[in-house]
Amino acid sequence: MIKIGILGPVGSGKTSLIEFLAKEFTKRGLKVGIITNDVVSNADAMRVYEDLVVKEKIIPKENLVGIVTGGCPHTAIREDPSLNLRAIDNLIKKSGDLDVVLIESGGDNVMSTFSPLLADYTIYVLDTSAGDKYPGKGGLGISESDLLVVNKIDLAPYVNANLNKMRKDAEIVRKGKPTVFVSLKTGEGLQELMEILMEDLKVVGLLGS
Ligand SMILES: Nc1nc2c(ncn2[C@@H]2O[C@H](COP(=O)(O)OP(=O)(O)OP(=O)(O)O)[C@@H](O)[C@H]2O)c(=O)[nH]1
Ligand SMILES: [Mg+2]
């Protein structure tokens, strides 16, 4: 079973990415579980329930867990991931063998990272709506994640975000680790994202070829 941790600032598109990935992995015949972490609400879990359990029937309801962390969001994924680890154990007990568990962190800052106990592979989601200063300003989450997703490229023109600058900055900050530019709204870049992700998961031995 692969545990994929998804993190990034508030509103960058983490839940949207999780919903997209759940559909893509399901299409490939993989059994998907989802854990959402929200700081004070269960809103993301409720949205995933509505979208993927009720409307699209992609996952059964027992494959979804919503955690309310109640405090600093990165504590729950790094310093003390016990709530999340217990949620994964419970998911497996209820749902049987899963191939992929997607774990969304509560919206957090650029230094946020997942404990290696909790995630085998990490995706950091940025978006262009705050301009093009990131990824150049760096931060552990941005520089060390396995894959950096720069989302909302459809909004870049409205805030004068220069995607070429962001691309060059990402190459420098991430020292060659992959970055992909997408819009989860228009679909641009999503095929490339899946190609990179599936290839990476095979290379690190997390998925069969
Ligand atoms: N224009 C545009 N909007 C997007 C895109 N992706 C997501 N959104 C919108 O951005 C908002 C936030 O997306 P979410 O997926 O909820 O972001 P999140 O990172 O999970 O947010 P939190 O969990 O609250 O931190 C929603 O209204 C989405 O519809 C995109 O590529 N382009
Ligand atoms: Mg979310």
Side-chain angles (χ1 to χ4, degrees), residues 25-38:
F25 284 133
T26 304
K27 265 195 236 162
R28 288 164 174 76
L30 301 171
K31 280 175 71 181
V32 177
I34 297 176
I35 297 177
T36 62
N37 283 258
D38 255 329

Side-chain angles (χ1 to χ4, degrees), residues 93-137:
K93 274 189 203 130
K94 282 190 290 180
S95 313
D97 281 345
L98 293 168
D99 300 300
V100 185
V101 178
L102 300 166
I103 307 160
E104 176 178 352
S105 163
D108 207 347
N109 66 42
V110 290
M111 291 304 280
S112 186
T113 54
F114 270 87
S115 161
L117 285 177
L118 183 57
D120 307 303
Y121 187 91
T122 57
I123 303 177
Y124 195 96
V125 185
L126 270 182
D127 73 86
T128 68
S129 67
D132 55 21
K133 56 187 182 287
Y134 286 102
K137 285 170 92 173

Side-chain angles (χ1 to χ4, degrees), residues 190-201:
L190 294 180
Q191 193 181 333
E192 188 190 354
L193 185 157
M194 282 314 291
E195 283 166 9
I196 294 173
L197 183 58
M198 295 307 283
E199 198 48 44
D200 266 9
L201 294 178

Side-chain angles (χ1 to χ4, degrees), residues 14-16 18-19 22 33-36 42-59 63-65 104:
K14 298 177 292 298
T15 308
S16 305
I18 282 196
E19 293 197 341
I34 297 176
I35 297 177
T36 62
N42 228 350
D44 281 356
M46 281 156 61
R47 167 174 157 203
V48 173
Y49 177 80
E50 278 302 317
D51 291 347
L52 298 190
V53 178
V54 178
K55 280 193 208 133
E56 308 229 22
K57 300 183 177 34
I58 299 280
I59 59 165
N63 288 24
L64 169 67
V65 176
E104 176 178 352

